[in-house]
Structures are given as C-alpha cells and as structure tokens.
Amino acid sequence: MKAAVLKSLGQPLAIDHIADPEMRSGEAIVDVVAAPVLPYANEVFSGERRYPIELPLVPGCGAIGRVRASGPDATRLKVGDWVFCDPTVRSRDDASMPDITLQGWSARGEGGLRLHRYYHDGAFAEQIRVPTENAIRIGNIEPEQAARWCALTVMLVPYGGLLAASFQAGETLLVSGATGNFGSAGVAVALAMGAGCVVAPGRNERVLDDLQRRFGERVRTVKLSGNEEEDRERMREAAPGPIDCVLDLLPPSAPTTAVRAALMTVRPYGRVVLMGGVGMLGGDGLDLPYPWIMRNDITVRGKWMCSPDAIPRMAALVRSGLLPLDHIDVTTFSLDCANEAVEHAAEHAGPFRMTVIQP
C-alpha cells in the first residue's frame, strides 16, 4: 500500500509503498478514507514538540474509514462499516491503570512505548490496523462527508473533558483558550451539550467576533489584556452568574498566569479540568493557592483525550443536528501531497478549519 513515512525528524515525509498491514486476533483493518492533519503536525515532525516516537513511522492521529476486515472477536463490526479510528490505544491487561499510546502520534511512559512499537503506524496511509475496540461505528455517511467527520478528532478532546467534569445542561462554562483550535471546538461542543452560557476569553479579536457571530448570545467573549487580576475580574463579569466549570485548553506557548487567571474564576464547589499543553516546553508551575482550593471545595483534575464511550455519544450529537459539521471549512489533499497538507495545516490553523488527507 501507499503511505507517507516519517523517516527522520526535520525531514519531509517520504511517499513510499510499504507492506499492507496484517490483521491478528483482536484487530481490524480499515481502509482510510480521510485522515486529519493537526495544525501542529509540523512541530511533531520537526522534533520541536519532543514527542517520544520511534522512527520510521507512518504518522496520522485518527481517521474516518471503512472496515476491510475484522477478527473473530468482532460480533457486530462488518466489512464496509463506516468507522472512526480512535487513535487512543489502551493496554488490555490492566483495566484500572492502562498504558496508553496515540497510534501514529505519541507514546507515554515505557508501557506506552511498548504499545507504540506494536500499534505503530497511523492514518497517513491507504490502510490502518487498529484494535477492534478502536474501530468505532458512526453509521452510514456519504463518502464526500468523510472529511468533515474528521472534526471528531478535535471535538472529542474537549468533549472528554466536559464528560469528566460531569458538565450539565444549563451550566455556565469558561473555556480557557477559546480562540484556539481545540478551545473553539470546546465552545461548540458545550453549546451542543446544552450549556446555558459559555464564557470565551482570548486575545484574537477576529476569532472572538467570529465565535459571537456563530453562536449568538449564549457565548460571552472577553478580550484579554495579559494582566492576571484584571482579566480574572473581566471574565467573572462577563458571565451571567457563577461560573460552574472551567475547561483549560491553552497551548504550550501560553503562560501559567493565563491559566491561573481563568481557573480561579470558578465558583465555590466548582470544577476545573486541565487538558492543555501549558508546561510541556518547560517554564513555571501553575501555583494554585492551597487555601483557595481547600476552602472553596474546588475540584481540579487532569484529563487526557476521552473515554471510549465518548465517541458514539459524540456521533449521536452530530447525527441529531445538535453539533453540525457543515460550518467547518475543510481543505483536502491526496496522499501524494502529504507534505503540502502538513504545511497547509500549519499556515491555516484556526477555529473550524480542517486540513485532511484523503488516500
């Protein structure tokens, strides 16, 4: 099969013919119809993000495709089914503390590297081999819709955080990093879940105006100044009442002061979920006040990606019309143009924009 291969960091992807994946028990082979190119893919491939990956590697984080073959443990998955290939691969021998790898993208810890060495190659290829449970049915779609369904890769991240926070319809959410790729998706997902109000702070006035235009009065935008105390007060004032939950999705380049300014807007007994990249490139710690957390009974938790049951639930949100995909601007590239796709994704990053490779 044809694939885009990362042979060394800092070098272009090589478009090669490699062996077709071989299915074993507990696995499925999926024909890749559309694979998203994340905006920071160039930072992973250059080594700037210092992801623990072993080369050579067929990269690609998630895909929409159709089942080519499945093993004897699959009782409902059929050849031809449309599926979302979940890149979050979990070890099966410890349900309470599974090791995790993002197939074709990154690994975490020694156990994650062991998974990475087996479920190694990602979706920048004509076929991908995934664990059976990672080929998740999304129902019938038209082939031309496959690229838009790649938006699940981005939207599932904030959705995982909101589910972890037990976010409820009618509540007020603050999305820290709302003008970014994942943050803007978090605004859309929260509204689809029934948020009474979403406070959307950021520095990019154009994106803030666009969020207001897209979603109307349920979104309250806040232009940040960079002054921690001032920004915290303005975010509180923007909300129609107490802020029930804060979801942080700020990128590695953001300072911890921006995180803290947002997190400390939450009401007593409120919840905070950390899902961003702050600190991954070094720098100061978050330094939240112990007395504030304790006396206000604040729940602070981290969340990485989403639980497996989030995917069919999100597919249901899309199919119900609560989370429409038709407003997403999608640019597609052939597999032969994978390097151009990576460059395009970096140069055209932004809310509700997707770059997709279609093998």
Side-chain angles (χ1 to χ4, degrees), residues 133-157:
E133 64 270 24
N134 287 55
I136 299 169
R137 295 177 299 162
I138 59 173
N140 291 329
I141 65 174
E142 296 298 323
E144 59 269 20
Q145 295 177 331
R148 291 194 187 279
W149 276 82
C150 284
L152 266 64
T153 304
V154 175
M155 291 182 171
L156 279 164
V157 174

Side-chain angles (χ1 to χ4, degrees), residues 72 91 97 153 168 198 217 320:
S91 59
M97 294 175 53
T153 304
Q168 301 296 312
V198 178
E217 61 183 15
S320 70

Side-chain angles (χ1 to χ4, degrees), residues 9-289:
L9 296 177
Q11 297 298 314
L13 299 171
I15 310 303
D16 282 350
H17 282 87
I18 63 174
D20 291 350
E22 295 183 4
M23 186 184 70
R24 299 173 178 86
S25 180
E27 299 174 348
I29 303 293
V30 176
D31 289 324
V32 178
V33 178
V37 184
L38 298 183
Y40 59 90
N42 61 329
E43 298 176 16
V44 177
F45 302 162
S46 69
E48 180 181 347
R49 290 230 173 184
R50 302 200 293 264
Y51 279 11
I53 54 177
E54 296 185 354
L55 304 179
L57 170 74
V58 176
C61 190
I64 300 294
R66 305 192 76 171
V67 174
R68 171 180 284 260
S70 60
D73 62 322
T75 60
R76 304 192 181 186
L77 202 61
K78 303 186 300 297
V79 172
D81 279 348
W82 283 97
V83 294
F84 173 74
C85 296
D86 180 8
T88 309
V89 178
R90 297 170 175 84
S91 59
R92 294 165 168 166
D93 53 350
D94 190 338
S96 62
M97 294 175 53
D99 287 303
I100 296 176
T101 191
L102 283 181
Q103 186 172 355
W105 204 247
S106 69
R108 186 177 70 184
E110 180 54 36
L113 277 172
R114 290 176 62 186
L115 282 174
H116 172 67
R117 290 168 188 144
Y118 183 73
Y119 288 109
H120 188 64
D121 290 332
F124 289 6
E126 292 177 322
Q127 297 175 28
I128 184 171
R129 174 175 58 89
V130 298
T132 303
E133 64 270 24
N134 287 55
I136 299 169
R137 295 177 299 162
I138 59 173
N140 291 329
I141 65 174
E142 296 298 323
E144 59 269 20
Q145 295 177 331
R148 291 194 187 279
W149 276 82
C150 284
L152 266 64
T153 304
V154 175
M155 291 182 171
L156 279 164
V157 174
Y159 190 48
L162 293 171
L163 291 177
S166 299
F167 186 73
Q168 301 296 312
E171 289 192 312
T172 294
L173 172 74
L174 187 147
V175 178
S176 177
T179 57
N181 198 35
F182 289 104
S184 59
V187 173
V189 171
L191 293 172
M193 294 173 69
C197 175
V198 178
V199 179
R203 296 193 180 197
N204 189 322
E205 290 188 79
R206 180 187 60 80
V207 175
L208 292 174
D209 290 344
D210 182 62
L211 288 171
Q212 191 76 68
R213 178 187 61 80
R214 286 175 184 270
F215 300 117
E217 61 183 15
R218 289 168 66 201
V219 173
R220 308 284 181 89
T221 61
V222 179
K223 176 70 165 62
L224 297 177
S225 67
N227 180 287
E228 182 177 344
E229 294 296 332
E230 177 184 332
D231 287 339
R232 182 178 299 121
E233 189 58 32
R234 292 181 65 201
M235 286 184 274
R236 283 181 175 146
E237 290 176 351
I243 294 171
D244 301 293
C245 183
V246 174
L247 177 65
D248 181 79
L249 291 157
L250 283 168
S253 58
T256 54
T257 53
V259 182
R260 188 168 56 240
L263 301 197
M264 292 185 66
T265 64
V266 77
R267 65 169 172 82
Y269 305 96
R271 296 99 70 202
V272 170
V273 181
L274 304 176
M275 298 195 78
V278 174
M280 288 184 178
L281 301 179
D284 296 333
L286 184 53
D287 192 23
L288 288 173

